[in-house]
Amino acid sequence: MEIRKVVGSIVCTHRNGGLGHLDLRLLQDLKGQYVVATDPVDARVGDWVFVVSGSAARYAMGNAAILTDLTIGGVIDHWETEEAAAIQPTASLPARAA
Amino acid sequence: MEIRKVVGSIVCTHRNGGLGHLDLRLLQDLKGQYVVATDPVDARVGDWVFVVSGSAARYAMGNAAILTDLTIGGVIDHWETEEAAAIQPTASLPARAA
Amino acid sequence: MEIRKVVGSIVCTHRNGGLGHLDLRLLQDLKGQYVVATDPVDARVGDWVFVVSGSAARYAMGNAAILTDLTIGGVIDHWETEEAAAIQPTASLPARAA
Amino acid sequence: MEIRKVVGSIVCTHRNGGLGHLDLRLLQDLKGQYVVATDPVDARVGDWVFVVSGSAARYAMGNAAILTDLTIGGVIDHWETEEAAAIQPTASLPARAA
Amino acid sequence: MEIRKVVGSIVCTHRNGGLGHLDLRLLQDLKGQYVVATDPVDARVGDWVFVVSGSAARYAMGNAAILTDLTIGGVIDHWETEEAAAIQPTASLPARAA
């Protein structure tokens, strides 16, 4: 599962019926690449999240008929690592040394 | 789901039967990479769209027998973000600050 | 679906039974990366084709027991775009302005 | 299957029900890219592991209802290669010439 | 299907039950990236092979319960291309002009 940041939503009136009226969140990775994801956990703009891809993305919506290939799996509170010295965490990720 | 721009169609008379006579749209990402997608939403050339990949691409055609791995999921009207200052939207994407 | 060029075949006598005696085509993308695909449309060397990946690749063989993850979906005759000026088509792709 | 290093865990109270209370491990590849994986083998921080992706990731949890797309498949003790001279193993991987 | 070279095996005593006692081969692409694959064709170190990914990787093991996402599909004897002049084959691949 990849780590992404919620930066907004896309407005998309003309869309596939399999996406219903679901909010489509705009996410960004650390390289500035944008992707679109469905969001069953109501993440807020600014949240760091991890995303589930592939067929698991449909099941994660609680309804495999939702035609998504990327779903937010959860909001990251912080992370814990014992190797902060050896491996540089990216400054913009919410890190906390264990 | 990835964000792509519709730039045209490909003409392909000699093709797999599982694609019928479907229009095959030519899309481009911001790096100039081309991909081909099926299009159940009748997007126009110049539209920014998001695309659904994997097995969801077949279901999004309303017929899992359509042998595609990439389907246009919807046309992006605009996007809304609260962090326009912190994160630079790509100039060529149709952005609107919320 | 990605765009690739047929550059030859691979000879592979020692192979998985799920691939039978199928011709295995050698394709190349514009960056020179090679991949191997099954070919139900009898593409010729030099043809530009689009390829179907994932589970759709098996169905596109007309037999989901064929153990491929990449199948040629069709031969590209030419492409049509209304934005030839704004977006540079790669010189080596067979382009035709609409 | 890709090779990754376990560097910690993420803390994520607000998450998809399909992930239960499972520990979510933070992994890193040799380029410093972070990903999140479920872990049925109880790998320790510092372990080199290989990860299984796609639908196999769900089955590898022993329960296809676990909504993951990446699962740790095993801890790498060491590797054996007969071509140490021709192909440079990355210094940070635990290598042993056969 | 991607082209890879067999460079060895990984030793992995602590692993997912769904992989049994299968030999886990260490493969390398032309950029030096390592991946791990299951091997039903008994490839030797030094062989160039093509690999099958996704759900087809499980079926290619002759047992969909094998929890792999990458399986060696066959050993490449040589390749045949009619465009050797236009497209430079990588020197390290076993090429033969048709």
Side-chain angles (χ1 to χ4, degrees), chain C residues 7 11 14 16 26 28 36 69, chain E residues 1 41 53 60 73 77 81 87:
Chain C
V7 296
V11 177
H14 187 40
N16 194 292
L26 186 66
Q28 193 177 38
V36 175
D69 64 10
Chain E
M1 293 161 285
V41 300
S53 64
D77 300 331
T81 168
I87 298 162

Side-chain angles (χ1 to χ4, degrees), chain A:
Chain A
M1 293 160 284
E2 308 286 338
I3 296 172
R4 296 284 181 271
K5 189 175 190 175
V6 181
V7 296
S9 296
I10 62 170
V11 176
C12 183
T13 49
H14 187 40
R15 61 166 76 183
N16 195 292
L19 285 164
H21 296 289
L22 291 171
D23 194 10
L24 295 170
R25 310 310 303 271
L26 185 67
L27 310 183
Q28 194 176 37
D29 67 14
L30 290 168
K31 292 179 180 170
Q33 195 82 351
Y34 291 97
V35 292
V36 175
T38 45
D39 177 13
V41 301
D42 283 323
R44 292 161 305 175
V45 168
D47 280 347
W48 285 97
V49 297
F50 66 90
V51 288
V52 182
S53 64
S55 54
R58 297 205 305 277
Y59 298 119
M61 291 305 294
N63 179 355
I66 301 294
L67 297 177
T68 180
D69 65 10
L70 197 72
T71 295
I72 297 178
V75 178
I76 301 175
D77 299 331
H78 56 260
W79 64 10
E80 298 179 333
T81 168
E82 297 173 15
E83 299 206 337
I87 297 162
Q88 278 306 331
T90 306
S92 43
L93 272 175
R96 192 185 73 176

